[in-house]
Amino acid sequence: MKQYTTIVLGGGESGVGAAMLAKRNGEIVLVSDSGQLKEKYRTELAEAQIDFEEGKHTLEIVAKAKLLVKSPGIPDKMPVLQFAKEKGIEIIGEIEYAARYTKAQFIAITGSNGKTTTTLWIYHILKNAGLRVGLAGNVGQSLARQVLHENPDWFVVELSSFQLDSMFEFHAHVAILTNITPDHLDRYEYKFDNYINSKFRILQNQKPDDYFIYFADDPVIASKVAEMAIAARKLTFSLTKSEGVSAYATYDKINFNTHNQPFTMFYDELILKGKHNLCNAMAAALAADVTRIRKEKIRESLASFSGVEHRLEEYLSIHGVQYINDSKATNINSTWYALESMTRPTVWIVGGVDKGNDYSELDVVVKKSVKAIVCLGVDNKKIVNHFSGMVETIIETHSMEEAVYTAYKLAVPNDVVLLSPACASFDLFQNYEDRGRKFKDAVRNL
């Protein structure tokens, strides 16, 4: 039986990227996936002469490896990971592995909400300013693939809690924490503290000349920060206060009090609307300011950024009804921001795989905006039971086409149809992108 020095668990984008980098590094590598690889990855591995197995993890092979690089979606309780731990094999994630082979500085972003928008916004600013910058993590190509082919000065990396859990030596020059609300508690023994601790792993290995940017209004973050000895310089942003923070919002503009010359920007210069996007803009500008980009370029790039697909994406207006794709809202807090920003009567499409949601957190914004609920999922009982009596019309559907057509029949001119599921997508869809694309297809076919 062939002996491999490195086993990559998971044959998706991050796993294949890690395998390609390992091959370049002279390691004898095997990609092992309990499911079936996509054809494009199977072809890429074959052309690179990298061995792979599908539908299983061969423990006899794993037992002889020195390093196991795992994809973030694989939970620690998986038998193959427990087996590797017992054998004393080093287990790390793809981000951790790739970061060991680049001299680039990292701007790393995590949080329960807003991290994708903030990540892409920072990348947009740095790219527009002419910096040599890469984009990785939960967006774009895998970090490993980019380390293999690129040599930027900066990487802007979106990190989930799952990725952070398998990172140990990774060092972020700029660490950003957008907010923390309960999410993925099924992966954290339904203990919020475990999830909080996972998010704060982004600070590990930071030094006094690094930066920690965080939302000063978040009580969870504030409480945790008060308990910790944080080495990095702290930069904060706020929607409610102006004293002692690095960026804050007043009634019509954003104000930046940074170590460089302070500057302001009016809300109406931003394409993206809503309080959550003010937070994203402040975090992005503070990160860009650390790189010493000129204020004019930061302001220009804040104004020209048009947002993220599947996040409050105003897709089409049909017969006076605006259809908004917020498929990326996979938790309660994301959906709260979406509903809070609605200014017109809303037909709300919600549902999917519940991750321990407390729907009572949405009561105020639902009462304010929602005229009807269209449930989209295999099991909608929890949603129906909670909102019955609060919203007069609640209809269950079991496909995107049915959900969109039902919403179309309920909406009248000047209404909004909002897909903001507050749940994961895996009961009916491959992922939130697949769900968002199918929503747009169904709207286009009305």
Side-chain angles (χ1 to χ4, degrees):
M1 184 178 290
K2 188 172 180 179
Q3 186 166 336
Y4 298 92
T5 56
T6 301
I7 307 291
V8 176
L9 285 189
E13 172 61 25
S14 67
V16 172
M20 302 289 281
L21 181 59
K23 176 75 181 291
R24 199 253 347 236
N25 293 340
E27 299 168 34
I28 305 170
V29 59
L30 171 75
V31 173
S32 177
D33 198 307
S34 60
Q36 298 299 306
L37 273 64
K38 290 184 178 179
E39 189 58 40
K40 67 174 182 177
Y41 293 132
R42 192 181 291 118
T43 300
E44 186 175 9
L45 291 171
E47 289 177 351
Q49 298 182 312
I50 294 174
D51 294 341
F52 60 90
E53 62 176 1
E54 300 176 89
K56 61 181 179 179
H57 300 303
T58 305
L59 297 185
E60 294 89 342
I61 294 176
V62 173
K64 297 178 181 178
K66 294 180 180 178
L67 177 66
L68 194 153
V69 181
K70 79 178 200 72
S71 295
I74 302 175
D76 290 341
K77 63 184 178 183
M78 284 282 288
V80 63
L81 290 174
Q82 295 298 320
F83 175 81
K85 283 181 183 176
E86 291 169 6
K87 293 292 182 181
I89 299 167
E90 183 183 14
I91 303 171
I92 62 175
E94 176 258 337
I95 299 286
E96 172 78 9
Y97 178 71
R100 296 178 180 181
Y101 297 96
T102 178
K103 294 181 180 178
Q105 289 188 302
F106 285 94
I107 299 174
I109 303 95
T110 196
S112 301
N113 305 109
K115 55 185 179 291
T116 300
T117 300
T118 303
T119 299
L120 291 173
W121 217 333
I122 294 168
Y123 177 74
H124 175 74
I125 298 170
L126 270 57
K127 193 79 172 174
N128 279 1
L131 275 63
R132 297 171 62 241
V133 57
L135 175 71
N138 277 354
V139 291
Q141 292 183 328
S142 69
L143 179 62
R145 189 185 295 277
Q146 291 187 73
V147 168
L148 183 63
H149 297 294
E150 307 289 340
N151 184 32
D153 297 318
W154 294 90
F155 272 115
V156 184
V157 184
E158 178 191 337
L159 298 176
S160 69
S161 56
F162 301 163
Q163 288 166 316
L164 287 163
D165 289 339
S166 56
M167 294 165 62
F168 306 95
E169 298 173 9
F170 177 88
H171 167 219
H173 178 52
V174 182
I176 300 174
L177 188 46
T178 59
N179 70 339
I180 301 181
T181 60
D183 195 11
H184 300 298
L185 296 189
D186 51 334
R187 273 282 284 263
Y188 292 98
E189 302 175 344
Y190 293 94
K191 296 177 182 176
F192 190 28
D193 281 347
N194 291 350
Y195 177 65
I196 294 168
N197 292 336
S198 177
K199 288 298 188 187
F200 269 85
R201 287 176 65 87
I202 199 168
L203 301 184
Q204 64 187 352
N205 306 312
Q206 280 203 303
K207 301 169 185 175
D209 59 346
D210 295 323
Y211 294 87
F212 174 36
I213 299 171
Y214 64 93
F215 185 31
D217 300 350
D218 189 307
V220 175
I221 296 176
S223 175
K224 188 70 175 178
V225 166
E227 298 173 2
M228 298 177 65
I230 294 172
R233 287 171 278 192
K234 293 186 281 243
L235 301 176
T236 54
F237 57 96
S238 172
L239 293 172
T240 62
K241 54 193 172 188
S242 59
E243 295 297 320
V245 294
S246 310
Y248 63 95
T250 53
Y251 74 95
D252 64 345
K253 59 188 174 184
I254 315 172
N255 306 266
F256 298 96
N257 291 327
T258 60
H259 53 278
N260 292 337
Q261 185 178 354
F263 70 103
T264 62
M265 182 171 184
F266 287 100
Y267 291 164
D268 58 14
E269 294 179 70
L270 298 176
I271 294 172
L272 302 188
K273 306 303 179 187
K275 291 179 181 177
H276 57 295
N277 280 319
L278 291 180
C279 291
N280 298 335
M282 287 189 283
L286 289 174
D289 193 61
V290 166
T291 70
R292 301 298 193 270
I293 293 171
R294 290 187 300 111
K295 298 296 184 294
E296 294 78 10
K297 185 59 70 173
I298 294 176
R299 187 184 287 109
E300 172 192 310
S301 298
L302 284 174
S304 62
F305 182 69
S306 59
V308 180
E309 187 181 15
H310 311 300
R311 186 67 181 110
L312 282 174
E313 177 189 5
E314 295 188 0
Y315 181 55
L316 285 177
S317 181
I318 300 173
H319 304 314
V321 176
Q322 179 68 59
Y323 290 79
I324 298 178
N325 169 26
D326 195 39
S327 181
K328 200 174 190 308
T330 60
N331 59 44
I332 289 291
N333 197 242
S334 281
T335 293
W336 184 92
Y337 278 115
L339 290 172
E340 191 272 338
S341 68
M342 294 298 106
T343 58
R344 294 154 58 181
T346 301
V347 179
W348 175 32
I349 301 175
V350 56
V353 179
D354 187 293
K355 298 181 287 185
N357 288 349
D358 178 4
Y359 290 102
S360 66
E361 295 177 28
L362 300 175
D363 288 356
V364 172
V365 288
V366 167
K367 289 174 184 175
K368 175 180 76 79
S369 301
V370 174
K371 62 175 277 185
I373 290 175
V374 177
C375 298
L376 172 61
V378 172
D379 183 0
N380 303 307
K381 289 194 295 289
K382 188 174 175 181
I383 297 168
V384 173
N385 290 341
H386 182 81
F387 291 108
S388 290
M390 189 183 308
V391 177
E392 185 175 339
T393 303
I394 302 177
I395 300 174
E396 293 193 67
T397 65
H398 302 286
S399 73
M400 185 60 77
E401 293 79 6
E402 183 186 4
V404 168
Y405 184 72
T406 300
Y408 168 76
K409 299 295 285 185
L410 291 169
V412 298
N414 199 45
D415 283 356
V416 168
V417 172
L418 171 69
L419 170 69
S420 190
C423 298
S425 57
F426 304 119
D427 54 345
L428 296 173
F429 309 98
Q430 295 177 23
N431 46 44
Y432 77 81
E433 293 102 328
D434 178 49
R435 178 169 60 190
R437 284 191 293 267
K438 284 185 167 59
F439 172 76
K440 293 196 287 186
D441 287 346
V443 171
R444 194 168 55 247
N445 291 332
L446 286 173

